């Protein structure tokens, strides 16, 4: 099993910045990629960004490209999501996730992500 624990959510004004963290532990050798998803009230959970454990390749949703940056500190077993130029439409519960696959098709498919964190609320006020 892999355990994921998120932190760093909160309330921020539009145009502001926030950094989320996700610490992983357990049988992480089975994981090829870590990622972030978000779910706004009344909407489906959507992909935000992913980073490959080996090589550091990244992939972003178009809606956050240029504003969000995903990174990883392997020494701390932690993945970060730096969110800049936040908009009210970025308001959602953000979830950290882990998957054993690295293909665009797999990254965008919820069922391919085996492990999930508990979620952290991000609220952007206008």
């Amino acid at each position: 099993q892999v355990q994921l624990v998120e932190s760093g959510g909160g309330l921020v004004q539009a145009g502001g910045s926030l950094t989320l963290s996700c610490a992983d532990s357990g049988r992480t050798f089975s994981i090829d990629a870590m990622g972030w998803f978000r779910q706004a009230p009344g909407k489906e959970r959507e992909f935000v960004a992913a980073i490959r454990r080996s090589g550091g390749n990244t992939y972003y949703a178009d809606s956050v490209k240029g504003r969000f940056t995903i990174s990883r500190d392997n020494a701390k077993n932690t993945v970060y999501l730096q969110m800049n130029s936040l908009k009210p439409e970025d308001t959602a519960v953000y979830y950290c996730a882990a998957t054993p696959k690295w293909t665009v098709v797999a990254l965008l498919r919820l069922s391919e992500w085996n492990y999930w964190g508990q979620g952290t609320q991000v609220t952007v006020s206008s």
Side-chain angles (χ1 to χ4, degrees), residues 48-121:
V48 175
I51 186 166
R52 198 167 191 182
R53 289 173 62 93
S54 60
N57 307 64
T58 57
Y59 187 74
Y60 296 91
D62 288 342
S63 59
V64 305
K65 202 173 292 184
R67 299 189 299 124
F68 290 12
T69 301
I70 189 170
S71 62
R72 176 173 177 83
D73 186 333
N74 288 328
K76 296 182 178 180
N77 292 330
T78 300
V79 173
Y80 303 95
L81 185 68
Q82 173 69 42
M83 304 183 292
N84 298 327
S85 302
L86 282 162
K87 305 174 183 179
E89 50 264 44
D90 294 318
T91 295
V93 177
Y94 283 70
Y95 296 92
C96 178
T99 177
K101 299 182 181 179
W102 179 266
T103 67
V104 173
V105 172
L107 294 179
L108 299 179
R109 190 175 294 165
L110 286 176
S111 60
E112 298 289 0
W113 294 81
N114 296 11
Y115 304 100
W116 294 86
Q118 79 284 0
T120 184
Q121 176 70 45

Side-chain angles (χ1 to χ4, degrees), residues 9-78:
L11 173 65
V12 63
Q13 288 187 332
S17 299
L18 207 59
T19 300
L20 305 182
S21 302
C22 174
D24 64 67
S25 60
R27 299 169 65 86
T28 58
F29 58 85
S30 64
I31 299 304
D32 196 13
M34 301 288 293
W36 290 94
F37 287 74
R38 65 187 182 186
Q39 187 166 17
K43 295 187 176 182
E44 294 185 350
R45 192 171 298 188
E46 63 175 3
F47 171 83
V48 175
I51 186 166
R52 198 167 191 182
R53 289 173 62 93
S54 60
N57 307 64
T58 57
Y59 187 74
Y60 296 91
D62 288 342
S63 59
V64 305
K65 202 173 292 184
R67 299 189 299 124
F68 290 12
T69 301
I70 189 170
S71 62
R72 176 173 177 83
D73 186 333
N74 288 328
K76 296 182 178 180
N77 292 330
T78 300

